[in-house]
Amino acid sequence: MTKPAQPTPNQNNLSLDQASTPDYVHWFRHAAPYINTHRHKTFVLMFGGEALQSDNFQHIIHDIALLHALGIRLVLVHGARPQINHNLAQLQLKTPFLKHRRITTRESLPAVLSAVGSIRLQIEALLSMGLANSPMYGARIDVVSGNFVTAKPFGIHEGVDFQLTGEVRAIDHDAITHNLKNNQIVLLGPTGYSSTGEVFNLRAEEVATRAAIDLKADKLIFLGEQRGFLDSQHKLIRELTPQQATHHLTQFDTPNHEQYLHLAGAVQACKAGVKRCHLLSYHQNGALLGELFTRDGLGTLVTAMDYEAVRQATIQDVGGLLNLLRPLEEQGILVYRSRERLEDEIEHFAVIERDGMILACAALYPLPVDDTEPASGEIACVAVHPDYRKSNRGVQVLHFLEQRAKHLGIGQLYLLTTHTGHWFMEQGFEKVELSELPSARQAMYNYQRNSQVFRKLID
């Protein structure tokens, strides 16, 4: 009896069920570019005193420890409003508010300092955990806090002295940077110190914003009650420019609202050079990791950068184009293009790219015409990543090429398609006969594909 032939290594590989690959393997592979990008970058993370009372705060601490382990330099800024209110209630003290700020009297200052000091010790204790079989095991995190924030009095407004309520005068960015380079987490609270030795009660949002600006941080992250910035219909807005965010700020009735303070801080930081600001929820387990290590994130991004815009393709985009086009070519939706052909024709392509991934593309080819035919071009290779087909990215890249056609003096655009004719009709194309194609393009028509011909006149 003969033994059955043993499969070759290649056969073994082919027999593997890719669907059985654990989710965490896929997650790590997709997160790898972000891990490399974020290493040695400075992030300022602000959370209010409400976050410490959340059941999810221990998970936030675990995620902070993970970010630290991945080489991210972290500055944590905590608030203390509910804890201060609790201390004041126990002392039967009331502090008036004016201009949406607490007037910190000398009598109430001990309640403020007690709350801030207690929170600092709580956070330091949580970051010092090292229990076996827990995410903190072996973390060995050094946390540094101190007199990094210099404050000044908020002053007298409308004839009222705000006493020991202050605002940030300066951040000791050199000292903070020194500690960050020594692999330590820096912890800041809502207090600052004056040159005369007084302590001032500050807004944590202002401390975080100023710290991010002075440290030239790569990110400023606010953890709040909501999962990001919500519009008037309570729908999450994924991305805002500072100009758009400023418009939303004018819609608030109460400028002390948490979302207002976070959004205002993000706008100020972006305008001062912080590249990206994020608004997340402290209730959502894993929000930090989901925002920082996935392409779409979980909250709201405020950025002045062209986070995702249509642009001319370059030779570096060929690999991404291949990944986007191959599945459509295998389905017969697009004509096969080799790597060499893409490299030769790359100047005809426009792409939308996000964090190194090509989300959409299209190409514009000027068509040869004779003296009797108007200047014409062909739109080809219109493709959108499957995860983003419900967006308007296809429309964006098509409009980009229409503008390029105008610049080139092209008066009419043609395209040939076997599957997406209705979509192109929605974009202003009309179905025409093959005979209406420029004669040179007719000669190259593939009768086996039997593509429909569409045309659009360019104004």
Side-chain angles (χ1 to χ4, degrees):
M1 181 176 175
T2 59
K3 293 182 178 180
Q6 296 297 315
T8 64
N10 285 338
Q11 287 174 322
N12 279 332
N13 288 338
L14 290 172
S15 65
L16 290 176
D17 181 9
Q18 291 185 348
S20 66
T21 305
D23 289 342
Y24 67 83
V25 174
H26 293 293
W27 192 90
F28 264 110
R29 288 171 178 167
H30 286 104
Y34 299 99
I35 294 173
N36 292 325
T37 299
H38 296 334
R39 187 178 292 115
H40 304 313
K41 297 298 195 301
T42 299
F43 295 178
V44 176
L45 173 62
M46 183 268 157
F47 46 87
E50 297 83 359
L52 284 93
Q53 299 173 339
S54 167
D55 293 337
N56 190 50
F57 190 70
Q58 189 164 2
H59 293 136
I60 294 173
I61 289 293
H62 294 165
D63 292 346
I64 287 171
L66 177 57
L67 298 182
H68 180 260
L70 293 174
I72 296 172
R73 296 170 176 172
L74 291 170
V75 177
L76 308 181
V77 183
H78 70 83
R81 290 189 188 98
Q83 291 83 357
I84 292 173
N85 290 338
H86 174 75
N87 287 353
L88 290 171
Q90 285 193 323
L91 295 172
Q92 297 183 340
L93 293 176
K94 292 185 179 180
T95 52
F97 280 78
L98 181 66
K99 299 180 73 69
H100 307 291
R101 287 181 186 264
R102 187 193 305 272
I103 298 174
T104 308
T105 63
R106 294 191 179 276
E107 186 182 26
S108 66
L109 184 62
V112 174
L113 299 181
S114 175
V116 173
S118 176
I119 290 173
R120 177 175 63 83
L121 293 173
Q122 179 185 350
I123 294 172
E124 290 177 352
L126 290 171
L127 288 171
S128 299
M129 289 190 301
L131 293 175
N133 301 320
S134 79
M136 300 296 293
Y137 181 67
R140 297 180 61 84
I141 299 174
D142 292 330
V143 185
V144 177
S145 56
N147 57 341
F148 298 118
V149 181
T150 303
K152 61 182 179 180
F154 187 65
I156 299 173
H157 294 261
E158 299 179 11
V160 177
D161 186 356
F162 277 73
Q163 301 183 48
L164 294 178
T165 296
E167 54 187 348
V168 179
R169 181 188 294 274
I171 299 288
D172 192 347
H173 54 86
D174 290 335
I176 293 175
T177 301
H178 173 77
N179 286 287
L180 294 176
K181 289 182 177 179
N182 285 334
N183 202 34
Q184 296 166 324
I185 290 179
V186 174
L187 179 62
L188 306 178
T191 53
Y193 309 90
S194 71
S195 56
T196 60
E198 288 184 301
V199 183
F200 288 95
N201 182 20
L202 311 175
R203 272 184 173 168
E205 294 84 1
E206 294 178 359
V207 174
T209 302
R210 184 63 180 273
I213 293 171
D214 288 3
L215 290 167
K216 296 180 172 58
D218 298 275
K219 290 183 183 292
L220 170 60
I221 304 168
F222 291 102
L223 292 179
E225 175 76 20
Q226 304 294 340
R227 57 196 167 121
F229 182 75
L230 307 181
D231 63 15
S232 56
Q233 282 75 44
H234 299 284
K235 293 182 179 180
L236 177 66
I237 299 178
R238 290 286 189 180
E239 183 180 341
L240 289 168
T241 65
Q243 292 76 19
Q244 291 169 330
T246 300
H247 170 73
H248 285 291
L249 289 173
T250 63
Q251 311 303 311
F252 277 87
D253 296 327
T254 54
N256 66 329
H257 190 280
E258 179 189 77
Q259 286 226 311
Y260 179 94
L261 295 174
H262 290 181
L263 195 60
V267 169
Q268 183 183 350
C270 282
K271 289 182 177 180
V274 177
K275 296 177 182 177
R276 293 181 179 180
C277 299
H278 304 260
L279 278 60
L280 307 172
S281 171
Y282 56 74
H283 290 300
Q284 188 173 6
N285 191 3
L288 267 174
L289 302 183
E291 183 72 7
L292 297 176
F293 296 100
T294 63
R295 188 161 278 109
D296 294 323
L298 297 178
T300 298
L301 170 68
V302 182
T303 178
M305 301 173 63
D306 289 331
Y307 181 52
E308 182 185 304
V310 187
R311 62 171 174 79
Q312 167 70 43
T314 68
I315 197 68
Q316 287 77 24
D317 297 318
V318 171
L321 285 170
L322 285 170
N323 291 334
L324 179 62
L325 299 177
R326 281 295 178 262
L328 297 173
E329 292 169 352
E330 291 169 358
Q331 296 170 42
I333 297 174
L334 296 178
V335 176
Y336 173 78
R337 283 173 170 78
S338 66
R339 175 181 284 271
E340 291 75 16
R341 182 180 174 185
L342 280 174
E343 291 176 352
D344 290 340
E345 299 178 352
I346 195 65
E347 73 275 5
H348 296 297
F349 278 80
V351 297
I352 297 178
E353 177 257 343
R354 175 187 285 189
D355 290 342
M357 178 180 177
I358 303 299
L359 302 185
C361 73
L364 170 64
Y365 296 90
L367 293 175
V369 294
D370 59 33
D371 294 340
T372 64
E373 296 172 326
S376 302
E378 180 179 356
I379 296 291
C381 238
V382 180
V384 179
H385 189 280
D387 293 343
Y388 300 89
R389 285 179 185 161
K390 292 184 179 180
S391 66
N392 68 338
R393 291 175 177 86
V395 176
Q396 288 178 262
V397 74
L398 188 60
H399 286 176
F400 180 87
L401 291 182
E402 289 179 4
Q403 293 302 314
R404 181 187 293 179
K406 287 183 182 180
H407 179 73
L408 294 174
I410 292 174
Q412 55 186 6
L413 293 174
Y414 290 91
L415 65 89
L416 282 70
T417 181
T418 58
H419 289 77
T420 53
H422 283 286
W423 184 84
F424 284 107
M425 291 175 68
E426 292 172 1
Q427 312 313 317
F429 285 80
E430 61 176 348
K431 187 177 179 181
V432 297
E433 297 299 324
L434 173 62
S435 59
E436 298 190 52
L437 267 177
S439 54
R441 183 63 181 88
Q442 284 186 48
M444 299 168 56
Y445 182 80
N446 186 339
Y447 285 91
Q448 288 185 329
R449 285 182 59 82
N450 194 29
S451 299
Q452 296 178 322
V453 181
F454 290 83
R455 179 178 62 192
K456 182 176 184 177
L457 301 180
I458 303 297
D459 295 333

